Amino acid sequence: MNEKNLQNVEAITDMEQDFAQWYTDVVKKAELAEYSETGGCIIFRPNGYAIWELLQSELDKRFKQTGHENVYMPLLIPENLLQKEKDHIEGFAPEVAWVTHGGSEKLAERFCIRPTSETLFCSHYANIIQSWRDLPKLYNQWCSVLRWEKTTRPFLRTREFLWQEGHTAHATAEEALEETLRMLDVYTDVIENVLAMPVIKGKKTDREKFAGAVATYACECLMHDGKALQAGTSHYFGDRFAQVFSIQYTDRDNKLRHVHQTSWGVTTRLIGGLIMTHGDNNGLVLPPNAAPVQTVVIPVAQHKTGVTDAALGLYDRLKIKFRCKTDMTDKSAGWKFSENEMKGVPVRIEIGPKDIEKGRVIMARRDSGEKKEIPLEGAENALTDLLNNMQKQMFDKALQKQNERTSSAKTLGELNESLDSKLGFVYASWCGSEACEEEVKEKASATSRCIPFDSEPNGDCFCCGKKANHMVVWGRAY
Amino acid sequence: MNEKNLQNVEAITDMEQDFAQWYTDVVKKAELAEYSETGGCIIFRPNGYAIWELLQSELDKRFKQTGHENVYMPLLIPENLLQKEKDHIEGFAPEVAWVTHGGSEKLAERFCIRPTSETLFCSHYANIIQSWRDLPKLYNQWCSVLRWEKTTRPFLRTREFLWQEGHTAHATAEEALEETLRMLDVYTDVIENVLAMPVIKGKKTDREKFAGAVATYACECLMHDGKALQAGTSHYFGDRFAQVFSIQYTDRDNKLRHVHQTSWGVTTRLIGGLIMTHGDNNGLVLPPNAAPVQTVVIPVAQHKTGVTDAALGLYDRLKIKFRCKTDMTDKSAGWKFSENEMKGVPVRIEIGPKDIEKGRVIMARRDSGEKKEIPLEGAENALTDLLNNMQKQMFDKALQKQNERTSSAKTLGELNESLDSKLGFVYASWCGSEACEEEVKEKASATSRCIPFDSEPNGDCFCCGKKANHMVVWGRAY
């Protein structure tokens, strides 16, 4: 198969032509995921799962640095346990899957597959927390959860998805709130500095908060197509769950008090965000910090004397310091170029007879396509610089795009117009009533994304004209 | 609470008195696991989950070194997919949990929660394998699986457990068989060199092999109480699943051929094995390579000038090279000693005013109780040596115990007598008939553990007296 054919085979739809099809093409052709025989669930293929593993290690490191411990709770929740907290069950009951039979027997009580594990953690905390000495409890769990969604899209919304869920219990409301915000900052750090996705941080309105939470905080990102993506959430529960589950501790003064709790999570939907923030019409583009393979060494005219040895020699040097691959198969160099381009490998290194003669290699950046000749002996340092620059520039470019697509509105008409013309984030002052949110939803198909930190309302509510109490970022969201 | 009280509170049953109760006590008091409200499922607490994380990293490193990639398949399997391979469904149908409702709707087709994922991998392989260039496919998955067991015990047998399942597809039978044995060796390496548990490797008899496999190979270990534990299995499928699922590839000669497959797995039951191989009447004993915390620095007479600083200083030095903790809470030193003893931390380091004065520390081994004075400036090297010795000696001690409990039998009576008196492994030659295995099961409550590699039958079948074809290791197993 020649390179012309390869391009035909691997061609992906232009994003300007059909963004949704472009997304699906990238997911499939970069071999990130595949549809499965289990409706609404995907198979995470090696390239997709490797991104998740990398994200896990970046997050887990930070969770441990901030004092958290990992645990694992059961997959199944007894129906009576799920039903303990009223708002929580109302939020989740419509979308859980029910196990009714074990082997050939009908069960006396149904179990649901966890859609989230607040109830299990609370029940455990009620057992293991007795004294102020037992606090705080800073637990996290890596697992999959299941929500019976009607419409699904790979990574963005699937019935089963992978995630982590942090669940913590504290002596005071202040400590719990501090934890809620600390974890939001951890998410921001990873999303901005690993995934190179700029976020707007803020508080969710009551309409958009988590079922059972007192307050939800979120990181909101903007995708290529101007739609918003909720990338991570951190919830403050106060003592609501503690009251229902009787999670109490004896304080220093010998009084019995309820704990204050948080939960927080990010999911494999971040992989979808990564695709839609950086991808282009040639496929996936990975920022170096989020790339399972940061560089690939490709021999050019591999059959010529010395090429294979030189490529392997360079690979052996680079793999000490970088996540590095090489490809010595008999596929053509051009085929290998395209394949790695599709898969979003940040830097391709070419080495052929002419390069060997001149003591150099060619380094090609995936994001800009820029090619540079680099002296062979200084390859490590040059690559470090290149990857660092690329990471920074990918973030800057994404931030610039976000800024270009951010506007403000004084009326619902302005908001609607702005969203219709270029989507993006729209800042508009809001009175605080759910009725206005409903109207915005209905008339502009938009939702409040968050009330950004340190923002102030400016004038009256853009929807009802009454006194505004909050500045809100609005958008059409995934 | 004084130390006397601590010992009362934390006291565990002697293993000589009641081994099963001893086991449960260690699981609970070392805070490895807790029963959950989901019947038959446990909560993996931080101390237990940390052992699993360490095991995961040791295994995963070796899987990647041998060319494997991680993927993730759906949790749910459609009923028709599970039923494709006859032996496989017969083996698993009696013990799967069925999802019949999604949200409030009854599903048109039931899904089972995966008891293992052969069928999902096969269906995926049929889609992605076309040419000899696509082979081998070396995939692994980290996940939880569920089997609706009637009787459960923490780690050893629970409805849900954590594991990894490798699933590979190869061009030839030879390559697949080679892979099956390679992974058995990887398991042996980790079980012997990380967990310090000596194994007997061999082939399972047909009665004991995996549902759907052509052959199953296993690592068998012996516990403190003389019962056997199957610690890891590796299955060779030939092209049985490939025939059923039509997994075919075009070979170099342009002919269509079926792939040959393997699967292999180890589970969190290894944690149970670890407890029952090394634990003692004071609690858990962890070999250094399997210990999430290898050493704990405990200040003695912490209120005295300089003690806290000296302990923290030492901790800061040691944590660079070792998995190290310290404990600066206001609990007494004696309390901290007992707590870390219970949790199996390999080496306790004591540092108090007298030690500081003499420029030394005390290092106490968890396995032998041996205490040594070590010059403070050489603590790192001394600790390295101590941990290495301990790892080796714990393995040697376990091997010695296994040898002491290994015997041979010429008749069923001898086997029964040997098992009744001291349990353990019994070598006995066997004809190869399932009828004899059934008789052994019925009359001696024993099963064939494996046909050890490089073993030869010796004389006639110990059960029926006919010509023996295999040497088999028998035992009573978990």
Side-chain angles (χ1 to χ4, degrees):
Chain A
M1 203 180 276
N2 62 29
E3 276 137 54
K4 186 69 175 46
N5 282 343
L6 168 69
Q7 291 185 357
N8 290 338
V9 170
E10 302 287 4
I12 57 174
T13 309
D14 277 1
M15 64 170 82
E16 295 77 11
Q17 192 188 317
D18 182 344
F19 192 79
Q21 188 59 47
W22 167 83
Y23 178 80
T24 308
D25 287 351
V26 173
V27 167
K28 292 199 70 166
K29 289 181 176 156
E31 297 182 353
L32 300 172
E34 194 54 71
Y35 295 104
S36 77
E37 297 209 27
T38 308
C41 296
I42 56 170
I43 293 163
F44 289 77
R45 300 193 65 186
N47 294 339
Y49 195 78
I51 297 173
W52 182 240
E53 278 185 304
L54 191 58
L55 253 173
Q56 280 190 298
S57 85
E58 292 284 350
L59 287 161
D60 201 69
K61 186 172 70 187
R62 287 165 176 84
F63 295 162
K64 284 175 179 158
Q65 279 162 356
T66 46
H68 299 84
E69 299 179 294
N70 286 332
V71 299
Y72 186 79
M73 295 280 163
L75 169 73
L76 301 179
I77 306 175
E79 184 162 18
N80 77 73
L81 187 64
L82 186 71
Q83 286 179 335
K84 274 201 166 178
E85 212 288 332
K86 200 176 78 23
D87 289 348
H88 191 66
I89 179 71
E90 274 178 19
F92 285 103
E95 56 179 31
V96 295
W98 292 104
V99 173
T100 56
H101 290 73
S104 50
E105 281 170 36
K106 190 166 193 290
L107 302 174
E109 184 186 7
R110 301 196 297 178
F111 293 92
C112 79
I113 297 178
R114 65 181 160 224
T116 179
S117 306
E118 271 73 12
T119 53
L120 291 165
F121 275 88
C122 285
S123 150
H124 183 48
Y125 280 152
N127 285 330
I128 63 167
I129 294 171
Q130 274 97 40
S131 141
W132 61 271
R133 288 176 182 275
D134 299 324
L135 296 172
K137 283 276 179 246
L138 306 174
Y139 285 175
N140 175 63
Q141 160 167 295
W142 292 98
C143 64
S144 82
V145 290
L146 197 129
R147 298 173 189 177
W148 211 259
E149 305 279 359
K150 300 239 187 291
T151 327
T152 60
R153 292 187 67 186
F155 300 118
L156 297 173
R157 192 173 298 278
T158 48
R159 285 187 175 165
E160 185 188 6
F161 56 87
L162 301 173
W163 79 344
Q164 58 67 221
E165 44 181 321
H167 295 271
T168 68
H170 307 261
T172 65
E174 293 66 35
E175 281 176 43
L177 195 54
E178 201 181 289
E179 166 82 2
T180 311
L181 298 175
R182 181 184 304 117
M183 299 324 287
L184 193 72
D185 282 344
V186 165
Y187 289 158
T188 306
D189 176 23
V190 171
I191 297 169
E192 295 204 325
N193 299 318
V194 176
L195 301 180
M197 292 163 58
V199 313
I200 293 182
K201 281 191 293 186
K203 192 177 175 177
K204 287 275 173 187
T205 62
D206 280 351
R207 184 181 185 278
E208 300 291 328
K209 76 182 182 191
F210 181 81
V214 170
T216 289
Y217 298 85
C219 296
E220 295 284 328
C221 297
L222 201 64
M223 303 294 100
H224 263 334
D225 62 347
K227 282 172 83 172
L229 185 87
Q230 178 177 296
T233 47
S234 189
H235 315 293
Y236 169 67
F237 290 129
D239 63 1
R240 287 183 65 165
F241 279 86
Q243 295 276 358
V244 175
F245 285 84
S246 291
I247 315 174
Q248 289 177 297
Y249 69 99
T250 311
D251 209 346
R252 285 178 175 80
D253 59 7
N254 228 20
K255 291 218 172 96
L256 214 53
R257 296 201 160 80
H258 286 100
V259 302
H260 292 75
Q261 290 172 276
T262 82
S263 82
W264 27 275
V266 295
T267 79
T268 36
R269 118 180 290 217
L270 283 174
I271 300 172
L274 196 58
I275 299 168
M276 294 195 296
T277 303
H278 303 298
D280 65 21
N281 286 335
N282 294 320
L284 186 63
V285 183
L286 290 173
N289 293 350
V293 179
Q294 296 176 303
T295 189
V296 57
V297 177
I298 298 181
V300 176
Q302 182 174 351
H303 57 284
K304 297 254 172 93
T305 318
V307 171
T308 302
D309 284 352
L312 282 175
L314 180 61
Y315 165 70
D316 283 339
R317 274 169 54 191
L318 295 179
K319 76 178 178 191
I320 298 166
K321 204 172 156 187
F322 306 94
R323 296 188 291 271
C324 181
K325 269 204 174 169
T326 186
D327 183 348
M328 295 293 158
T329 60
D330 64 356
K331 290 181 265 188
S332 75
W335 179 288
K336 294 175 191 174
F337 288 7
S338 301
E339 212 173 31
N340 284 285
E341 192 172 26
M342 180 69 70
K343 291 179 181 172
V345 177
V347 173
R348 176 182 79 229
I349 303 181
E350 307 167 16
I351 185 162
K354 199 193 261 177
D355 304 304
I356 296 168
E357 197 187 306
K358 297 193 173 172
R360 68 170 196 205
V361 295
I362 310 288
M363 294 193 185
R365 270 173 70 155
R366 173 63 184 89
D367 61 334
S368 62
E370 192 191 348
K371 279 182 161 195
K372 263 190 187 165
E373 294 175 5
I374 304 286
L376 188 56
E377 77 270 22
E380 285 90 345
N381 289 341
L383 184 56
T384 301
D385 290 347
L386 195 55
L387 293 173
N388 288 342
N389 284 341
M390 196 173 155
Q391 181 75 28
K392 188 178 175 320
Q393 288 166 14
M394 284 182 72
F395 178 83
D396 290 346
K397 191 177 157 193
L399 182 59
Q400 195 194 329
K401 275 199 185 174
Q402 182 186 299
N403 288 338
E404 285 166 7
R405 288 190 116 143
T406 300
S407 58
S408 62
K410 289 278 174 204
T411 65
L412 185 50
E414 273 180 37
L415 176 121
N416 216 346
E417 200 174 301
S418 194
L419 289 175
D420 279 347
S421 70
K422 61 171 185 177
L423 285 162
F425 286 140
V426 184
Y427 281 79
S429 298
W430 168 64
C431 60
S433 84
E434 211 166 308
C436 285
E437 278 185 285
E438 289 297 342
E439 195 174 337
V440 174
K441 174 83 187 162
E442 196 182 308
K443 296 193 175 154
S445 306
T447 48
S448 66
R449 304 315 309 149
C450 69
I451 302 165
F453 292 140
D454 303 320
S455 68
E456 290 292 335
N458 174 13
D460 298 327
C461 175
F462 78 111
C463 187
C464 67
K466 287 186 193 144
K467 183 176 175 294
N469 291 300
H470 306 281
M471 176 58 81
V472 169
V473 177
W474 306 83
R476 292 182 187 148
Y478 276 98
Chain B
M1 202 179 281
N2 62 29
E3 273 138 53
K4 186 72 176 42
N5 282 343
L6 168 67
Q7 291 184 357
N8 290 338
V9 169
E10 301 287 4
I12 57 174
T13 310
D14 277 0
M15 65 170 83
E16 295 76 12
Q17 190 186 316
D18 182 344
F19 192 79
Q21 189 59 47
W22 167 83
Y23 178 80
T24 308
D25 286 352
V26 173
V27 167
K28 291 198 72 166
K29 288 181 178 157
E31 297 183 353
L32 299 173
E34 194 53 73
Y35 295 104
S36 76
E37 298 209 29
T38 309
C41 297
I42 56 170
I43 293 164
F44 289 77
R45 299 192 66 185
N47 295 340
Y49 195 78
I51 297 174
W52 182 240
E53 279 184 304
L54 191 58
L55 254 173
Q56 280 191 298
S57 85
E58 291 286 349
L59 287 162
D60 201 70
K61 186 172 69 186
R62 288 165 176 84
F63 295 162
K64 283 174 179 158
Q65 279 163 355
T66 45
H68 300 85
E69 299 179 293
N70 286 332
V71 300
Y72 186 78
M73 294 281 162
L75 169 72
L76 300 179
I77 306 175
E79 185 164 16
N80 77 73
L81 188 63
L82 186 72
Q83 286 178 335
K84 273 201 169 179
E85 211 288 330
K86 199 178 79 17
D87 289 347
H88 191 65
I89 179 71
E90 273 177 20
F92 285 104
E95 55 178 30
V96 296
W98 292 104
V99 173
T100 55
H101 291 73
S104 50
E105 281 171 37
K106 187 164 194 295
L107 302 174
E109 183 186 9
R110 302 197 297 177
F111 293 92
C112 80
I113 297 178
R114 62 179 162 226
T116 179
S117 307
E118 272 74 12
T119 52
L120 292 165
F121 275 88
C122 284
S123 150
H124 183 48
Y125 279 152
N127 285 330
I128 64 167
I129 294 171
Q130 273 97 39
S131 141
W132 61 272
R133 287 176 182 275
D134 299 324
L135 295 173
K137 283 277 179 245
L138 306 174
Y139 285 175
N140 175 64
Q141 161 166 295
W142 291 97
C143 64
S144 82
V145 289
L146 198 129
R147 298 172 189 177
W148 211 260
E149 305 280 359
K150 300 239 188 287
T151 327
T152 60
R153 294 187 66 187
F155 299 120
L156 296 174
R157 193 173 297 280
T158 47
R159 284 186 175 165
E160 186 189 7
F161 55 87
L162 301 173
W163 79 344
Q164 59 65 220
E165 45 180 321
H167 294 270
T168 67
H170 306 261
T172 66
E174 292 67 35
E175 282 176 44
L177 194 54
E178 201 181 293
E179 166 81 2
T180 310
L181 298 175
R182 180 185 302 118
M183 299 324 287
L184 193 72
D185 283 343
V186 165
Y187 289 157
T188 306
D189 175 26
V190 171
I191 297 169
E192 295 205 325
N193 299 318
V194 177
L195 301 179
M197 293 163 59
V199 313
I200 293 183
K201 282 190 294 185
K203 192 176 174 178
K204 287 275 173 188
T205 62
D206 280 351
R207 184 182 186 276
E208 300 291 327
K209 75 183 184 190
F210 181 82
V214 170
T216 289
Y217 298 86
C219 297
E220 294 285 327
C221 297
L222 202 64
M223 304 294 100
H224 264 333
D225 62 346
K227 283 173 81 174
L229 185 87
Q230 178 178 296
T233 47
S234 188
H235 315 294
Y236 170 66
F237 290 130
D239 63 0
R240 287 184 63 164
F241 278 86
Q243 295 277 358
V244 174
F245 285 85
S246 292
I247 316 174
Q248 288 176 296
Y249 69 99
T250 310
D251 208 346
R252 285 175 175 82
D253 60 8
N254 228 21
K255 291 220 170 93
L256 215 51
R257 297 200 160 79
H258 285 100
V259 301
H260 292 76
Q261 290 173 276
T262 82
S263 83
W264 28 274
V266 294
T267 80
T268 38
R269 118 180 291 215
L270 283 174
I271 299 172
L274 197 57
I275 299 167
M276 294 195 296
T277 303
H278 304 298
D280 66 21
N281 286 334
N282 294 321
L284 187 62
V285 184
L286 290 173
N289 293 349
V293 178
Q294 297 176 302
T295 188
V296 58
V297 177
I298 299 181
V300 175
Q302 180 175 353
H303 55 285
K304 297 254 172 90
T305 318
V307 172
T308 302
D309 284 353
L312 281 175
L314 181 61
Y315 166 70
D316 283 340
R317 273 169 54 192
L318 295 180
K319 76 176 180 192
I320 297 165
K321 203 172 158 188
F322 305 95
R323 295 188 291 270
C324 181
K325 270 205 175 168
T326 186
D327 182 349
M328 294 295 158
T329 60
D330 62 357
K331 289 181 267 188
S332 76
W335 179 287
K336 293 175 191 172
F337 288 4
S338 301
E339 213 174 30
N340 284 285
E341 193 172 25
M342 180 69 71
K343 291 179 182 172
V345 177
V347 174
R348 174 180 82 227
I349 302 181
E350 307 168 15
I351 184 162
K354 199 193 263 178
D355 305 305
I356 295 168
E357 199 187 305
K358 297 193 173 173
R360 66 166 197 208
V361 295
I362 310 288
M363 293 193 186
R365 269 174 70 155
R366 173 62 184 89
D367 60 337
S368 62
E370 191 190 350
K371 279 182 160 197
K372 263 190 187 163
E373 294 175 6
I374 303 288
L376 188 56
E377 76 270 21
E380 286 90 344
N381 289 341
L383 184 57
T384 300
D385 289 346
L386 194 56
L387 294 172
N388 287 342
N389 284 340
M390 195 173 158
Q391 180 75 29
K392 188 180 175 318
Q393 287 166 14
M394 285 181 71
F395 178 82
D396 291 345
K397 191 178 158 193
L399 183 59
Q400 196 195 327
K401 277 199 186 176
Q402 183 186 298
N403 288 339
E404 284 166 9
R405 289 191 116 143
T406 300
S407 57
S408 63
K410 289 276 174 205
T411 65
L412 186 50
E414 273 179 38
L415 177 121
N416 215 346
E417 200 175 301
S418 192
L419 290 175
D420 279 348
S421 69
K422 60 171 188 179
L423 284 164
F425 286 139
V426 184
Y427 282 78
S429 298
W430 170 63
C431 61
S433 84
E434 213 166 305
C436 285
E437 278 185 284
E438 290 297 342
E439 195 175 337
V440 175
K441 174 83 188 164
E442 197 182 307
K443 297 194 176 151
S445 305
T447 48
S448 65
R449 304 315 309 149
C450 68
I451 302 166
F453 291 140
D454 303 321
S455 67
E456 290 293 335
N458 174 12
D460 297 328
C461 176
F462 78 113
C463 187
C464 67
K466 287 187 193 143
K467 182 175 175 294
N469 291 300
H470 307 281
M471 177 57 81
V472 169
V473 177
W474 305 84
R476 292 185 186 146
Y478 277 97

